[in-house]
């Protein structure tokens, strides 16, 4: 298979970027999208040009590192699929493919397709944890039974990989889906109750400070989320947030 | 190359006196402590934020030390531990199936083919139950049964159910738990986090580890960081084989730089080849994907009995489901009736290779076997029909119900398989083949997890400590968290007790300047090279040498040749490699060049180590040493030791040191899973 790639090139955070055109040839349908990018970079290096920088690590959809905006969609055309899990069989031979970085004020470009998502880390640091020390002796793991449905729902929320596709796809660059997934995981578990109200306040405040936009309930994030994180989490977080303000906790 | 080691010194593992079961408690009670006020005067560097690093950094910070943590990814949450699928072991005996600390200890020693240290393994089993308590209290959403209690599954090499899990994303959930503990300490200012930073060298002053040289991967800045102790939690080096289930960035550089500064590498050739991975499909393939061992709980592994059926499968004239039961060879069940599909990984991998080498491989390349869920789907479907009170269910209904159960248990793995292969594993058996997965070898550490460099510690997959010649499934996560939460934070105090009056470590010492200059020179050398060949090309070639000669089976001739080939490759790399871009920019090719350069040196040492070990044990299979049935033949008289290598300049000329292993609590036996 052969493709024409239109790729965003940007030297660094301060420099201006532009779209550049590159042909790639000899791609097979069972290659992953990132393997196709490897082929391109191999060609560029051999031709004495600067290869395209992009983030990736696990290449199996779990680390959340890969982050490409492909043909106008975060992680490309397939649902519940990260960029690294996308295969070239999902594209037509001869197609032109547009590849851009996540675009959001809170995610500045590092180089080309790699962006800085440390804002997500700071949101977790603001309260995305249960305050328990590891040097102590916590309760036996089975001391508090957790209804299976709650445990399963908490797990589903906890499968967020922190990739940022929800932000990239939202016209307001809102981080609500990401934040609500973490808030929900703890809200659904007994261990999360003591700090439930203060946690949601601190995390939402930090989200605002980082410059993410407001949520206007378009639901695009849920559609593009590679892990199928549900909008129900946003509703749950909103309820908790309101409650936390009313109770003034 | 020297044939015999120059001289060999006995290594002291500092194993505490006393009965096995009391050693750890006794040791904890007798080692020196640093009081809370003094901990504030002490800095510790933790390299790596996987399960081992995040848990160590968080725990050290909670105790009061000032911690600097480093990772090369853009966030600590993305460490390779995130990809672990199947589960984590712990001797909780929640299933009341006879599990105990002793049994977990025994299974691990036996699974490791009697090549690990009794005292370490016992301690690991002892703290395992604590890990689960800790994780649950952090809000890790483990799988639960309908009564709300924690659920378990079985893994290979054992006959109890002691594996805790969170669907196929156990590593993710455990790491996010440790990451949240780390984040909490970052927010308190007790941990300073350095994302997108790579360790470039370990700095020793007066023989002690006193800091590191790191490179900011975004700005290219080369930085000096001083500390009273350095803890390496930098993971495994399976990527020396190029294709492996490890993340693309996994590397040996941190451990290797330490090795070059004087830390011994132990058993570097002990590699785990995992039996159930998606087979290789093409030249540009960049990594292999694991299908969790948990799938062997319910899946059955087979190849056809008859060559004609193999041919028909390969040319597409027959589908796997067309082959009747009596023409299938469930070779693990046949060869190992007691453990069946749940034999340990090394045994399962070799058995797959044996069938494929004999011509029964079921894909075009002849390198695949089937992992079949049809009977599990039927079994679960029937049970579910009973539970739901469905009278005389149709075969179709049974299938539907059974598929739903399998989807609930393994859904994400099945989906991953389908995404990669475009085959539906609910309808047709998966094709799988062994792939490099884990490295049991690593930095030699004593009972306190200290390397041979005072003040330099190693935790998690980066050390060699607990798994002998073969690791049991679900035990790496256990070890990483045991080291980080419960072992290192205590044992390091014994060393740091001497440092309460030292004061902050200055990075003006000449040792820091020299190390920094060497790093700058290496970067300039790589970028200024006038070669034409991309780094990946060398990495692929290294991988091919390692897989062919130092992979699932090894022999003297092949290993000797491999050493020569790697030396040639290293020389060619220095001349021919092309590293584009600038030193002061985000430059992933430059990062990769440094890592591949270290992996090549490591590969050479691995071959040397495999050559020295004239026996077969666990994952190390020397063709010269096998039983008539093709099982591994150990030599307990000559090789019941850990090989620890000291760097001398050329990897193949490393000096060989030994730690003799003494077994006081288990009897050395031929491992049998029959
Ligand atoms: C696909 C897969 C599935 C697995 N499933 C299981 C399972 O179900 N159960 C189980 O017990 N085990 C499993 N394992 C094994 C287990 O995941 C690993 O052994 C374990 O997670 C390693 O943890 P770690 O903390 O030692 O290192 P890692 O998680 O590998 O972390 C290494 C850290 O070091 C950092 N680092 C490395 N080099 C440098 C450097 N030079 N400079 C700065 N930072 C550096 C990285 O950034 C990273 O933060 C699996 C492994 C794989 C590959
Ligand atoms: S919610 Fe979904 S899209 Fe957003 S960061 Fe998490 S996994 Fe990515
Ligand atoms: S590279 Fe890890 S999710 Fe894509």
């Amino acid at each position: 298979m052969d493709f024409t790639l239109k790729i965003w090139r940007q030297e660094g955070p301060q420099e201006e970027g532009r779209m550049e055109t590159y042909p790639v040839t000899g791609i097979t349908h069972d290659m992953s999208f990132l393997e196709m990018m490897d082929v391109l970079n191999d060609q560029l290096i051999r031709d004495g040009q600067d290869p395209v920088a992009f983030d990736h690590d696990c290449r199996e959809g779990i680390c959340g590192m890969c982050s490409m905006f492909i043909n106008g969609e975060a992680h490309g055309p397939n649902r519940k699929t990260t960029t690294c899990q996308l295969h070239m069989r999902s594209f037509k031979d001869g197609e032109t493919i547009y590849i851009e970085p996540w675009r959001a004020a809170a995610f500045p470009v590092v180089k080309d397709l790699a962006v800085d998502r440390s804002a997500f880390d700071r949101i977790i640091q603001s309260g995305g944890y249960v305050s328990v020390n590891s040097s102590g002796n916590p309760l036996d793991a089975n001391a508090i039974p957790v209804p299976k449905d709650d445990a399963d729902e908490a797990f589903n929320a906890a499968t967020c990989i922190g990739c940022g596709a929800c932000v990239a796809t939202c016209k307001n660059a809102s981080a609500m889906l990401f934040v609500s997934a973490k808030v929900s995981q703890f809200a659904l578990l007994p261990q999360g109750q003591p700090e439930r109200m203060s946690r949601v306040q601190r995390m939402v405040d930090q989200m605002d400070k980082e410059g993410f936009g407001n949520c206007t309930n378009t639901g695009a994030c849920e559609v593009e989320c590679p892990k199928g994180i549900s909008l129900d989490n946003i509703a749950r977080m909103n309820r908790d947030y309101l409650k936390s303000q009313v109770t003034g906790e | 190359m020297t044939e015999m080691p120059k001289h060999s010194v006995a290594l002291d593992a500092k194993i505490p006196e006393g009965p096995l079961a009391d050693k750890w408690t006794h040791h904890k009670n007798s080692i020196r402590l640093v009081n809370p006020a003094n901990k504030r005067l002490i800095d510790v560097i933790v390299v790596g934020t996987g399960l081992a690093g995040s848990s160590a950094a968080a725990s050290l910070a909670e105790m009061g030390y000032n911690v600097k943590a480093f990772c090369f990814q853009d966030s600590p949450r993305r460490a390779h531990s995130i990809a672990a699928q199947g589960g984590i072991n712990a001797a909780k005996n929640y299933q009341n199936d006879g599990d105990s600390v002793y049994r977990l200890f025994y299974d691990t020693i036996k699974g490791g083919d009697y090549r690990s240290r009794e005292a370490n393994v016992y301690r690991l089993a002892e703290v395992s139950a604590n890990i689960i308590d800790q994780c649950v209290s952090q809000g890790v959403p483990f799988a639960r049964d309908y009564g709300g209690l924690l659920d378990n599954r079985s893994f290979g090499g054992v006959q109890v159910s002691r594996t805790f899990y969170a669907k196929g994303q156990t590593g993710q959930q455990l790491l996010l738990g440790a990451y949240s503990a780390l984040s909490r300490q970052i927010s308190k200012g007790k941990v300073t986090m350095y994302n997108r930073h790579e360790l470039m060298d370990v700095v020793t002053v007066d023989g002690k580890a006193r800091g590191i040289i790191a490179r900011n991967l975004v700005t290219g800045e080369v930085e000096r960081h001083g500390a009273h102790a350095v803890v390496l939690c930098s993971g495994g080096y399976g990527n020396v084989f190029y294709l492996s289930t490890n993340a693309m960035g996994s590397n040996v550089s941190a451990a290797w730089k330490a090795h070059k500064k004087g830390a011994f590498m132990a058993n570097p050739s002990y590699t785990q080849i995992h039996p159930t991975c998606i087979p290789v499909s093409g030249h540009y393939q960049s990594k292999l994907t694991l299908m969790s061992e948990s799938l062997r709980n319910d899946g059955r592994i087979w190849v056809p009995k008859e060559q004609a059926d193999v041919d028909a499968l390969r040319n597409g004239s027959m589908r796997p489901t067309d082959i009747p039961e009596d023409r299938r060879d469930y070779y693990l069940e046949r060869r190992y009736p007691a453990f069946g599909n749940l034999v340990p990984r090394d045994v399962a991998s070799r058995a797959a290779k044996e069938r494929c080498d004999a011509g029964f491989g079921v894909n075009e390349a002849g390198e695949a076997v089937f992992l079949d869920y049809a009977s599990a789907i039927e079994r679960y479907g029937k049970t579910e029909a009973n539970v739901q009170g469905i009278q005389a269910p149709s075969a179709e209904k049974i299938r539907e119900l059974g598929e739903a159960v399998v989807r609930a248990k393994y859904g994400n793995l099945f989906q991953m398989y389908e995404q990669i292969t475009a085959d539906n594993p609910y309808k047709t058996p998966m094709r799988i083949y062994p792939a490099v997965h884990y490295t049991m070898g690593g930095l030699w550490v004593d009972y306190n997890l200290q390397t041979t460099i005072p003040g330099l510690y190693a935790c998690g997959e980066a050390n060699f400590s607990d798994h002998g010649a073969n690791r049991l499934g679900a035990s790496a996560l256990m070890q990483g968290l045991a080291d980080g939460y419960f072992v290192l934070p205590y044992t390091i105090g014994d060393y740091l007790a001497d440092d309460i009056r030292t004061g902050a470590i200055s990075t003006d010492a000449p040792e820091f300047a020299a190390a920094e200059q060497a790093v700058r020179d290496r970067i300039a050398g790589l970028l200024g090279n006038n070669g034409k060949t991309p780094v990946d090309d060398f990495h692929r070639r290294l991988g091919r040498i390692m897989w062919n000669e130092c992979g699932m089976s090894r022999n003297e001739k092949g290993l000797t040749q491999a050493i020569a080939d790697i030396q040639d490759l290293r020389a060619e790399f220095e001349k021919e490699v092309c590293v584009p871009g600038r030193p002061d920019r985000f430059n992933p090719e430059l990062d990769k060049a440094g890592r591949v350069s270290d992996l090549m040196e490591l590969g050479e040492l691995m071959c040397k180590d495999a050559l020295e070990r004239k026996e077969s044990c666990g994952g190390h299979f020397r063709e010269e040493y096998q039983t008539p049935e093709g099982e591994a033949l150990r030599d307990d008289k000559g090789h019941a030791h850990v090989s620890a290598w000291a760097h001398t300049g050329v990897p193949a000329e490393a000096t060989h040191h030994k730690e003799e292993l003494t077994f006081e609590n288990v009897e050395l036996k031929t491992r049998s899973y029959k």
Side-chain angles (χ1 to χ4, degrees), chain A residues 11 35 55 57-60 63 81 85 89 115 121 133-134 140-142 146 158-160 162 185, chain B residues 59 62 73-75 77-78 92 94 133 139 148 150 172-173 179 184 196 248-249 286-287 419-420 585:
Chain A
E11 265 296 293
E35 284 164 358
D55 272 326
D57 199 21
C58 72
R59 295 205 176 186
E60 53 185 64
C63 74
T81 303
Q85 291 177 299
R89 64 178 91 91
V115 300
D121 283 335
N133 278 359
S134 68
D140 182 86
N142 260 346
V146 181
T159 56
C160 161
Q185 176 196 341
Chain B
S59 303
E62 270 164 22
Q73 291 92 346
D74 72 330
S75 162
R77 67 179 288 154
R78 306 204 203 280
K92 278 285 196 188
Y94 282 161
D133 300 340
L150 293 164
Q172 179 194 31
Q173 295 311 317
Y179 161 76
R184 176 167 161 249
R196 293 208 200 258
M248 300 299 288
S286 54
K287 77 157 288 175
Q419 262 166 348
I420 293 171
R585 281 296 153 85

Side-chain angles (χ1 to χ4, degrees), chain A residues 4-221:
Chain A
T4 303
L5 305 177
K6 303 254 183 201
I7 302 180
W8 183 260
R9 302 304 307 261
Q10 183 173 340
E11 265 296 293
Q14 310 308 334
E15 279 93 337
E16 294 223 341
R18 70 218 170 266
M19 295 300 278
E20 293 271 355
T21 307
Y22 304 96
V24 279
T25 54
I27 302 301
T28 57
H29 69 281
D30 58 357
M31 269 183 202
S32 73
F33 198 83
L34 296 185
E35 284 164 358
M36 184 276 293
M37 293 297 291
D38 293 343
V39 173
L40 169 70
N41 277 345
D42 190 84
Q43 284 174 18
L44 291 175
I45 295 168
R46 288 178 200 275
D47 294 348
Q49 297 185 55
D50 190 29
V52 181
F54 59 89
D55 272 326
H56 65 104
D57 199 21
C58 72
R59 295 205 176 186
E60 53 185 64
I62 192 75
C63 74
M65 192 107 175
C66 61
S67 47
M68 291 185 191
F69 211 70
I70 301 164
N71 287 342
E73 287 185 273
H75 292 304
N78 296 358
R79 299 284 78 89
K80 293 204 184 175
T81 303
T82 54
T83 303
C84 59
Q85 291 177 299
L86 185 61
H87 283 73
M88 296 317 291
R89 64 178 91 91
S90 301
F91 296 86
K92 283 197 291 293
D93 192 12
E95 200 178 328
T96 298
I97 306 176
Y98 292 81
I99 311 171
E100 295 167 82
W102 285 173
R103 293 192 194 279
F107 289 165
V109 169
V110 171
K111 184 171 189 287
D112 301 335
L113 304 172
V115 300
D116 177 358
R117 286 167 288 192
S118 51
F120 271 9
D121 283 335
R122 288 188 294 274
I123 292 174
I124 300 295
Q125 286 156 21
S126 73
Y129 46 76
V130 174
S131 296
V132 49
N133 278 359
S134 68
S135 12
N137 292 308
L139 291 176
D140 182 86
N142 260 346
I144 312 173
V146 181
K148 186 171 165 44
D149 290 344
D150 289 351
D152 287 349
E153 225 179 308
F155 168 82
N156 287 338
T159 56
C160 161
I161 57 174
C163 62
C166 46
V167 174
T169 209
C170 173
K171 65 180 168 53
N172 308 319
S174 165
M176 286 289 270
L177 196 62
F178 168 78
V179 179
S180 69
K182 193 44 73 181
V183 165
S184 288
Q185 176 196 341
F186 292 130
L188 286 158
L189 293 173
Q191 290 79 9
Q193 299 313 312
E195 297 164 284
R196 182 168 175 177
M197 292 301 140
S198 62
R199 175 183 303 115
V200 66
Q201 284 223 339
R202 285 183 284 153
M203 291 182 74
V204 169
D205 289 352
Q206 186 66 34
M207 171 177 80
D208 293 343
K209 261 192 238 158
E210 295 289 347
F212 291 103
N214 292 325
C215 172
T216 50
N217 292 313
T218 60
C221 52

Side-chain angles (χ1 to χ4, degrees), chain B residues 293-328:
Chain B
E293 177 157 313
S294 58
L295 292 171
R296 283 200 276 144
N297 265 298
D298 286 316
R300 298 178 70 194
I301 294 179
W302 62 278
V303 292
K305 276 184 188 159
E306 293 165 23
Q307 197 63 49
D309 288 342
V310 173
D311 296 340
L313 283 169
R314 289 191 194 166
N315 67 29
S317 62
M318 216 172 170
R319 287 170 309 176
T321 42
D322 297 336
I323 299 177
E325 277 298 313
D326 61 337
R327 297 214 306 263
R328 298 176 176 195

Side-chain angles (χ1 to χ4, degrees), chain B residues 407-424:
Chain B
R407 189 169 289 115
K409 283 187 169 230
Y410 309 107
N412 74 313
L413 298 170
F414 276 53
Q415 187 200 5
M416 202 145 81
Y417 182 87
E418 186 162 1
Q419 262 166 348
I420 293 171
T421 63
D423 259 355
N424 178 348

Side-chain angles (χ1 to χ4, degrees), chain B residues 78-150:
Chain B
R78 306 204 203 280
H80 167 58
S81 295
I82 200 90
Q85 299 174 348
I88 177 167
N89 290 329
K92 278 285 196 188
N93 193 27
Y94 282 161
Q95 307 304 324
N96 201 17
D97 54 5
D99 201 9
S100 64
V101 168
Y102 183 83
R103 193 176 284 275
L104 174 52
F105 156 77
Y106 178 79
D107 287 344
T108 308
I109 291 275
K110 176 184 173 193
D113 215 355
Y114 305 91
R115 289 294 174 264
S116 41
R117 202 187 277 155
E118 277 190 344
N120 282 55
V121 175
Y122 195 87
R123 174 177 65 191
L124 176 65
E126 212 178 331
V127 303
S128 65
N130 261 331
I131 297 173
I132 305 303
D133 300 340
Q134 178 64 30
C135 294
V136 166
S137 72
Q138 287 170 341
V140 170
F142 283 116
R144 289 175 183 271
D145 60 23
Y146 284 99
L149 301 181
L150 293 164

